[in-house]
């Protein structure tokens, strides 16, 4: 994954949540979040184990525990790739769609969002959900629905006489 940055882009949001949860001041919450995130950043950066927490094991489990099962007979995925590779993937999908073997919707974005449920960082039962930060799955589904609606409105010319 991407390198760990400290403080994170979400620092302000984390501090607001901390202040709301504790009923304390925003300044005190900012201090707590800075200390907590500095400590966890150091553990990950330097591979330090503390108590029952092993950052290398946690990273492996994060990958293993990220939701990959999708339902409704569809394959849905968020792919981190170069724009050139995205163009190649979209061309393959268009070819598959043209051959009648797939229905596709895609959406490009510059960031992803991971939502995590971590009861304890020392246990293996943490779960992570990955999507595009701009609503990737929903946007791709909208693109698919728009294509299908357009296809239904287009007149069927397969029975038209050849002139």
């Amino acid at each position: 994954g991407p390198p760990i940055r400290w403080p994170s882009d979400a620092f302000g949001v984390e501090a607001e949540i901390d202040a709301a949860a504790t009923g304390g001041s925003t300044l005190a919450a900012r201090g707590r979040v800075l200390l907590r995130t500095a400590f966890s950043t150091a553990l990950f950066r330097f591979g330090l184990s503390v108590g029952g927490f092993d950052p290398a094991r946690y990273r492996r489990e994060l990958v293993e525990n990220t939701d990959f099962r999708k339902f409704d007979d569809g394959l849905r995925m968020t792919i981190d790739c170069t724009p050139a590779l995205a163009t190649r993937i979209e061309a393959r999908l268009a070819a598959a769609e043209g051959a009648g073997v797939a229905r596709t919707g895609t959406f490009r974005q510059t960031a992803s969002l991971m939502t995590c449920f971590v009861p304890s960082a020392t246990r293996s039962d943490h779960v992570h959900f990955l999507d595009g930060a701009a609503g990737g799955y929903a946007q791709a589904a909208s693109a698919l629905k728009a294509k299908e609606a357009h296809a239904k409105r287009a007149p069927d010319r397969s029975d038209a006489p050849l002139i």
Side-chain angles (χ1 to χ4, degrees), residues 24-132:
S25 75
T26 303
L27 183 61
R30 291 176 72 83
R32 282 190 300 274
V33 170
L34 273 176
L35 289 173
R36 187 170 53 238
T37 57
F39 180 70
S40 61
T41 299
L43 293 180
F44 279 99
R45 266 212 190 126
F46 302 112
L48 304 172
S49 295
V50 173
F53 179 73
D54 175 10
R57 186 190 80 229
Y58 184 86
R59 279 184 194 245
R60 276 191 316 275
E61 290 173 350
L62 185 144
V63 172
E64 294 167 1
N65 296 354
T66 296
D67 177 40
F68 64 91
R69 292 171 298 260
K70 302 301 175 195
F71 302 99
D72 301 329
D73 293 326
L75 174 64
R76 296 166 182 87
M77 61 177 65
T78 298
I79 303 172
D80 180 16
C81 62
T82 64
L85 180 55
T87 298
R88 288 179 33 219
I89 291 169
E90 288 171 338
R92 294 282 298 269
L93 292 172
E97 197 164 26
V101 296
R103 296 177 354 196
T104 68
T106 61
F107 182 72
R108 291 189 191 198
Q109 51 207 339
T110 58
S112 61
L113 175 69
M114 182 176 279
T115 304
C116 307
F117 177 69
V118 183
S120 169
T122 60
R123 295 185 352 209
S124 298
D125 61 350
H126 45 100
V127 180
H128 311 272
F129 302 94
L130 185 66
D131 194 1

